[in-house]
Amino acid sequence: MFDDFTNISKQYYNPIDQPILKELQFSVKNHEYKIKFGEDNKVIKKQKHEAIVKTIDQGQISRNAYRNLAAIEDELPREWAISSQRIQINKEMEHEVKIRTVKMPLCDNTINLTDNPDITDPEIVDEIINSIGKGGQRSIKDILKYIVPDLIKKHILNLQQPIINLRISGDGRNVGRKVKHVMVTFAILDDINNIHNPNHHHTIVLYPGSEDYKSLDITMISFRDELRELTEKGLIIDKINWSFNLYFSSDWKFLAICLGFNAANSLYFCPWCTISKKQVANINQEWLISKQMNQLNQNCNAYNGHNLPPLFDMIPLDHWIPDELHIMLRITDRLWNLVLHEIKETGYFNDIAREIIVKEMNKIKVRFQFWQEKESQTWNHTSLMGEDKLKVLQFFDLGKILSPSRAKIIRKLWDEFYNLYMMMCNSNTNPKEFKENAKNWLELFLTPSTGTPNNNNFIQGLYRPNDLTPYIHVLIYHIHELMEKHKKWGLKSFSCAAVEKKNHQQISEFFRKTLKDGGVNQKSAIIQILEFENRKLYYTTHEISQTHSKIEKLRINII
Ligand SMILES: [Zn+2]
């Protein structure tokens, strides 16, 4: 009988498995028994405090705000109790996943970013500029040891096939016009359902400063040593030796820096093949991924345009995958600017044309405006975000600003580019079909004029080889090959949107004075971010219920 009760008690009063039971009544041979469980039980209290810490983390509630809430509502634990629970989790996690600081080289503050700032809040910009000089890092091996058992439990990794596919990514956000917030992350590709969730991209390196080779080289020394070890020896976790396949994915700029390669506007512009700008006009030539990482490892100048040793020398070049979103964004920019250029050339870029464009943008629900730069007198316009670019690409009525025949052919070019982008994002796309469509699109882009100008037989073509960009080259010649090679994952799995989102969120959340922890020993925001990430790991491996069960009494009759 006692055993039975123990089982019941376990079932309904296991502090790990909610619901929490406050009272248990049972009868044995007509004798009534009632057991009350004390609410101040240490375990329940810990559970409750952990749930509050987790809720505070998820909602980014500041210590002051919580203190005020606790002052209003007596039932809420005091702020100091919650803080001490947070410190407890941090300490526990510090044993598992260590956080280290890295001293950064002096940042060149004279640089002015050419791109528009991603973050403009002056309070955040000030905080980031003040925190330049120190970076933070965690060990990928520590994190893997912590998360792999959970991934096995969830059947994402398989003990019978101990192989893990890792995706390394990086991102630099522009904070104001002088500084970047740079983040290097890794994610488990095998956990494909979570690959677009920022919480499943784990930060390894983090610093405010420059997005350049020198800074990344210094901050990633131990990360690269670990990656080399993972690829050469693997990693033993609970007596199983896991081996690793590595992939790298980022926007063009970050990718080129990590490859020790030129900027995209150089003569030799392609990270994957040896094409030069002088060869882009020859559209009949095939360009396949021809560069080899081991060649670059022997001599970093092995190919034109490569100047420095690749930072991820352990990742084969056909595992370096460009971000599909940036390909769409940059090519759409090009298509849009070519249209604006055409209107300017014909001399119709006046107030009326600008008004028509703004009206059409409003019609398709895109916020857009033109303004004239004071010094240069040139006209500038709103730079569009991803979603808005897709709307323009699909719905902008070119007939409003171009002649019907021009509008028709350019609309065809835009529609077919949109279709290519959709194909690129779809993991079921046949790479051969994509290659064919991409080639046809290039031919359309380069449609030559026919007939004699100013004559009735003259039909104006589209664009010249000089109008092609490195992104277009990659879309036409390399995407189908990468698509074929990485069919298992689909190119969309290498999208960097989740990492960008993560970087943006963390800057906005941690570099605001009002949200920071008070106190004399104020920690740097970088360390706070990494502690926050450690706590997120803790939450994934500990079941913390954030809802209270309504079951408080249970009556059991044992006959
Ligand atoms: Zn190429």
Side-chain angles (χ1 to χ4, degrees):
M1 189 51 65
F2 187 71
D3 276 352
D4 281 352
F5 169 65
T6 312
N7 283 336
I8 294 165
S9 150
K10 262 186 199 160
Q11 195 177 346
Y12 292 102
Y13 183 54
N14 184 339
I16 305 300
D17 300 322
Q18 296 281 0
I20 291 166
L21 186 65
K22 289 181 182 168
E23 192 177 286
L24 179 67
Q25 288 181 16
F26 61 100
S27 58
V28 180
K29 291 176 184 165
N30 293 331
H31 288 279
E32 290 272 342
Y33 294 88
K34 188 190 273 181
I35 295 176
K36 282 203 170 205
F37 300 111
E39 261 199 285
D40 60 347
N41 180 296
K42 267 189 182 171
V43 184
I44 296 183
K45 207 178 211 175
K46 182 172 180 257
Q47 283 273 301
K48 205 180 203 176
H49 289 186
E50 281 187 344
I52 294 175
V53 175
K54 184 178 175 184
T55 309
I56 287 175
D57 273 343
Q58 284 172 340
Q60 281 295 301
I61 300 165
S62 73
R63 288 177 71 169
N64 272 341
Y66 183 81
R67 197 173 286 129
N68 294 340
L69 281 174
I72 299 166
E73 179 51 66
D74 281 349
E75 281 199 21
L76 280 177
R78 302 298 90 188
E79 197 279 324
W80 61 264
I82 297 305
S83 273
S84 97
Q85 188 63 55
R86 184 186 303 112
I87 291 167
Q88 195 55 41
I89 299 175
N90 287 347
K91 271 189 186 160
E92 200 177 307
M93 285 308 296
E94 178 66 24
H95 283 292
E96 308 281 348
V97 180
K98 283 181 192 57
I99 295 171
R100 293 194 177 86
T101 52
V102 197
K103 205 168 172 287
M104 299 291 301
L106 278 180
C107 171
D108 183 4
N109 259 342
T110 56
I111 51 152
N112 254 319
L113 301 170
T114 47
D115 304 335
N116 289 326
D118 298 305
I119 301 260
T120 49
D121 184 330
E123 189 189 21
I124 296 177
V125 174
D126 272 2
E127 280 293 299
I128 295 216
I129 289 177
N130 288 337
S131 57
I132 287 176
K134 214 197 250 178
Q137 61 168 345
R138 298 189 297 171
S139 146
I140 186 172
K141 278 163 60 186
D142 281 356
I143 300 174
L144 284 167
K145 282 179 189 163
Y146 193 78
I147 61 174
V148 163
D150 189 55
L151 293 169
I152 298 167
K153 227 189 278 170
K154 290 177 177 153
H155 305 289
I156 291 162
L157 295 177
N158 181 357
L159 281 172
Q160 310 308 319
Q161 282 176 305
I163 302 167
I164 299 176
N165 293 282
L166 292 181
R167 185 191 124 182
I168 316 296
S169 290
D171 178 61
R173 296 278 91 189
N174 299 336
V175 184
R177 291 202 172 268
K178 295 227 176 224
V179 68
K180 287 252 185 180
H181 195 255
V182 180
M183 174 184 267
V184 182
T185 60
F186 88 91
I188 308 266
L189 262 175
D190 308 79
D191 192 3
I192 200 84
N193 293 331
N194 283 314
I195 202 73
H196 301 298
N197 180 344
N199 289 336
H200 291 256
H201 290 262
H202 309 283
T203 308
I204 295 294
V205 164
L206 194 64
Y207 67 86
S210 309
E211 183 184 1
D212 60 16
Y213 187 89
K214 194 173 155 197
S215 306
L216 284 165
D217 190 18
I218 289 170
T219 48
M220 296 200 301
I221 290 174
S222 34
F223 180 41
R224 286 182 293 137
D225 284 346
E226 286 190 314
L227 288 181
R228 257 174 236 121
E229 198 185 322
L230 292 181
T231 40
E232 285 161 18
K233 296 184 194 159
L235 180 67
I236 296 173
I237 304 170
D238 297 334
K239 294 182 185 159
I240 303 283
N241 192 7
W242 293 84
S243 59
F244 292 85
N245 291 325
L246 266 49
Y247 299 82
F248 177 83
S249 174
S250 74
D251 66 21
W252 193 294
K253 185 183 177 193
F254 203 93
L255 187 144
I257 293 171
C258 292
L259 200 52
F261 186 58
N262 277 327
N265 57 5
S266 312
L267 181 60
Y268 297 94
F269 61 85
C270 182
W272 293 274
C273 74
T274 56
I275 191 171
S276 93
K277 279 201 170 154
K278 292 175 185 161
Q279 294 166 293
V280 292
N282 181 4
I283 63 166
N284 293 320
Q285 190 163 347
E286 274 285 326
W287 293 100
L288 294 173
I289 300 174
S290 57
K291 293 183 192 172
Q292 299 282 336
M293 187 54 82
N294 53 17
Q295 292 286 320
L296 284 171
N297 287 342
Q298 282 165 25
N299 170 15
C300 69
N301 304 114
Y303 305 108
N304 285 320
H306 290 257
N307 311 311
L308 296 159
L311 292 177
F312 296 108
D313 49 61
M314 69 305 284
I315 306 180
L317 207 54
D318 57 1
H319 281 213
W320 291 57
I321 298 156
D323 174 41
E324 42 77 38
L325 185 65
H326 277 85
I327 293 180
M328 184 280 286
L329 296 177
R330 296 290 99 83
I331 299 180
T332 307
D333 285 346
R334 183 55 138 204
L335 295 174
W336 175 244
N337 285 329
L338 284 166
V339 166
L340 283 189
H341 182 73
E342 188 167 331
I343 304 171
K344 283 175 190 168
E345 282 234 305
T346 48
Y348 289 115
F349 189 68
N350 51 24
D351 285 346
I352 301 168
R354 282 187 288 271
E355 203 186 314
I356 293 172
I357 293 172
V358 172
K359 262 194 183 162
E360 179 60 19
M361 288 289 193
N362 286 339
K363 203 179 125 204
I364 59 170
K365 304 216 164 22
V366 172
R367 283 168 64 133
F368 188 83
Q369 65 189 83
F370 287 103
W371 66 90
Q372 198 166 20
E373 299 289 352
K374 273 186 191 152
E375 281 173 18
S376 59
Q377 296 291 300
T378 52
W379 283 92
N380 212 335
H381 58 79
T382 315
S383 68
L384 300 177
M385 306 300 281
E387 284 294 311
D388 285 347
K389 278 188 183 151
L390 280 179
K391 279 190 210 160
V392 173
L393 200 54
Q394 288 175 89
F395 306 119
F396 191 93
D397 182 358
L398 291 161
K400 294 267 167 69
I401 47 170
L402 297 168
S403 70
S405 60
R406 286 304 281 166
K408 196 177 162 197
I409 184 168
I410 294 175
R411 176 38 65 204
K412 186 168 188 248
L413 185 77
W414 284 25
D415 284 346
E416 289 188 12
F417 172 64
Y418 179 76
N419 289 341
L420 274 182
Y421 176 61
M422 287 295 119
M423 283 180 87
M424 186 161 65
C425 295
N426 183 348
S427 53
N428 296 323
T429 298
N430 176 345
K432 285 194 180 68
E433 201 184 321
F434 181 88
K435 183 182 176 186
E436 194 63 37
N437 288 10
K439 209 60 193 288
N440 292 340
W441 187 78
L442 177 68
E443 276 172 28
L444 181 62
F445 185 97
L446 295 173
T447 305
S449 302
T450 54
T452 327
N454 300 325
N455 196 319
N456 277 346
N457 67 357
F458 181 71
I459 301 171
Q460 194 188 348
L462 272 172
Y463 306 120
R464 302 154 305 163
N466 273 352
D467 296 321
L468 293 168
T469 64
Y471 284 95
I472 297 179
H473 165 80
V474 169
L475 177 79
I476 309 295
Y477 296 102
H478 301 312
I479 290 297
H480 70 88
E481 195 179 348
L482 292 167
M483 207 178 249
E484 179 76 54
K485 284 191 167 145
H486 308 300
K487 218 186 276 174
K488 185 177 173 193
W489 312 111
L491 286 190
K492 185 86 183 156
S493 303
F494 297 93
S495 162
C496 291
V499 179
E500 288 178 4
K501 193 172 168 195
K502 185 185 188 83
N503 200 355
H504 200 97
Q505 275 172 352
Q506 296 197 339
I507 298 167
S508 318
E509 288 166 5
F510 285 88
F511 285 95
R512 214 183 283 275
K513 279 180 201 143
T514 43
L515 284 176
K516 286 178 93 176
D517 275 4
V520 183
N521 297 319
Q522 196 179 73
K523 280 180 193 164
S524 81
I526 294 285
I527 300 301
Q528 285 189 46
I529 292 174
L530 294 177
E531 282 180 346
F532 171 67
E533 289 225 4
N534 268 357
R535 289 198 299 277
K536 280 193 177 171
L537 291 178
Y538 181 90
Y539 305 144
T540 55
T541 49
H542 292 70
E543 275 185 36
I544 299 171
S545 171
Q546 287 167 287
T547 50
H548 267 294
S549 163
K550 283 180 184 159
I551 304 170
E552 293 189 347
K553 282 185 184 179
L554 185 72
R555 192 179 171 82
I556 300 161
N557 290 316
I558 302 164
I559 300 157

Short mmCIF file of all heavy atoms in Angstrom, two decimals, residues 16 53 122 141 166 183 288 296 308 311 322 377 383 434 451 466:
data_model
loop_
_atom_site.label_atom_id
_atom_site.label_comp_id
_atom_site.label_asym_id
_atom_site.label_seq_id
_atom_site.Cartn_x
_atom_site.Cartn_y
_atom_site.Cartn_z
N ILE A 16 9.36 18.33 -10.98
CA ILE A 16 9.78 18.60 -12.35
C ILE A 16 8.57 18.58 -13.26
O ILE A 16 8.41 19.40 -14.15
CB ILE A 16 10.82 17.57 -12.84
CG1 ILE A 16 12.01 17.50 -11.88
CG2 ILE A 16 11.30 17.87 -14.25
CD1 ILE A 16 12.79 18.79 -11.71
N VAL A 53 12.42 34.02 -13.83
CA VAL A 53 13.65 34.45 -14.52
C VAL A 53 13.49 34.24 -16.03
O VAL A 53 13.82 35.11 -16.85
CB VAL A 53 14.90 33.68 -14.01
CG1 VAL A 53 16.13 34.04 -14.81
CG2 VAL A 53 15.14 33.97 -12.53
N PRO A 122 20.10 56.95 -30.69
CA PRO A 122 21.35 57.56 -30.20
C PRO A 122 21.83 56.96 -28.89
O PRO A 122 23.04 56.86 -28.64
CB PRO A 122 20.99 59.04 -30.02
CG PRO A 122 19.54 59.18 -30.28
CD PRO A 122 19.02 57.92 -30.87
N LYS A 141 32.77 23.69 -28.39
CA LYS A 141 32.81 22.33 -27.82
C LYS A 141 31.96 22.26 -26.55
O LYS A 141 31.21 21.31 -26.35
CB LYS A 141 34.26 21.93 -27.51
CG LYS A 141 34.98 21.41 -28.74
CD LYS A 141 36.49 21.39 -28.60
CE LYS A 141 36.99 20.54 -27.47
NZ LYS A 141 38.45 20.66 -27.29
N LEU A 166 27.29 21.18 -39.06
CA LEU A 166 27.30 22.48 -38.40
C LEU A 166 27.28 23.60 -39.43
O LEU A 166 28.01 23.55 -40.42
CB LEU A 166 28.58 22.66 -37.58
CG LEU A 166 28.79 21.81 -36.35
CD1 LEU A 166 30.12 22.20 -35.71
CD2 LEU A 166 27.65 22.01 -35.38
N MET A 183 28.82 39.52 -34.91
CA MET A 183 28.43 38.29 -34.23
C MET A 183 28.81 37.09 -35.11
O MET A 183 28.58 37.11 -36.31
CB MET A 183 26.91 38.34 -34.05
CG MET A 183 26.27 37.13 -33.49
SD MET A 183 24.48 37.37 -33.47
CE MET A 183 24.27 38.00 -31.84
N LEU A 288 32.03 26.96 -63.35
CA LEU A 288 31.68 26.07 -62.24
C LEU A 288 32.57 26.43 -61.04
O LEU A 288 33.55 27.16 -61.19
CB LEU A 288 31.89 24.61 -62.64
CG LEU A 288 30.94 24.11 -63.74
CD1 LEU A 288 31.32 22.72 -64.19
CD2 LEU A 288 29.48 24.13 -63.28
N LEU A 296 44.34 27.31 -51.50
CA LEU A 296 44.45 28.57 -50.75
C LEU A 296 45.21 28.36 -49.45
O LEU A 296 45.91 29.25 -48.97
CB LEU A 296 43.06 29.14 -50.45
CG LEU A 296 42.36 29.81 -51.63
CD1 LEU A 296 40.91 30.12 -51.26
CD2 LEU A 296 43.06 31.08 -52.06
N LEU A 308 44.72 37.17 -48.28
CA LEU A 308 45.03 36.77 -46.91
C LEU A 308 44.57 35.33 -46.67
O LEU A 308 43.65 34.86 -47.36
CB LEU A 308 44.29 37.69 -45.92
CG LEU A 308 44.72 39.17 -45.94
CD1 LEU A 308 43.64 40.06 -45.36
CD2 LEU A 308 46.03 39.34 -45.19
N LEU A 311 39.99 32.47 -43.13
CA LEU A 311 39.82 32.29 -41.68
C LEU A 311 39.19 30.93 -41.37
O LEU A 311 39.47 30.35 -40.33
CB LEU A 311 38.96 33.42 -41.10
CG LEU A 311 39.63 34.80 -41.13
CD1 LEU A 311 38.68 35.87 -40.60
CD2 LEU A 311 40.91 34.81 -40.30
N PRO A 322 26.32 31.46 -50.27
CA PRO A 322 25.86 32.84 -50.12
C PRO A 322 24.43 32.89 -49.61
O PRO A 322 23.65 31.98 -49.86
CB PRO A 322 25.95 33.41 -51.55
CG PRO A 322 25.79 32.21 -52.43
CD PRO A 322 26.34 31.03 -51.69
N GLN A 377 23.24 67.83 -54.78
CA GLN A 377 22.02 68.06 -55.57
C GLN A 377 21.47 66.79 -56.22
O GLN A 377 20.60 66.86 -57.08
CB GLN A 377 22.26 69.13 -56.67
CG GLN A 377 22.60 70.51 -56.15
CD GLN A 377 21.40 71.18 -55.48
OE1 GLN A 377 20.37 71.40 -56.09
NE2 GLN A 377 21.53 71.48 -54.20
N SER A 383 15.70 53.51 -48.84
CA SER A 383 16.19 52.16 -49.18
C SER A 383 15.19 51.16 -48.61
O SER A 383 14.78 51.24 -47.46
CB SER A 383 17.60 51.94 -48.63
OG SER A 383 17.57 51.90 -47.26
N PHE A 434 16.62 24.87 -62.79
CA PHE A 434 17.00 26.21 -62.32
C PHE A 434 18.10 26.78 -63.20
O PHE A 434 18.06 27.94 -63.61
CB PHE A 434 17.48 26.14 -60.86
CG PHE A 434 17.85 27.49 -60.31
CD1 PHE A 434 16.90 28.30 -59.71
CD2 PHE A 434 19.15 27.99 -60.44
CE1 PHE A 434 17.22 29.57 -59.25
CE2 PHE A 434 19.48 29.25 -59.99
CZ PHE A 434 18.51 30.04 -59.38
N GLY A 451 17.69 46.48 -85.31
CA GLY A 451 17.29 47.54 -86.25
C GLY A 451 18.19 48.75 -86.12
O GLY A 451 19.23 48.71 -85.44
N ASN A 466 28.06 45.25 -68.90
CA ASN A 466 28.57 46.10 -67.81
C ASN A 466 27.55 46.29 -66.69
O ASN A 466 27.92 46.68 -65.59
CB ASN A 466 28.93 47.49 -68.35
CG ASN A 466 30.34 47.50 -68.87
OD1 ASN A 466 31.07 46.52 -68.69
ND2 ASN A 466 30.72 48.59 -69.53
#
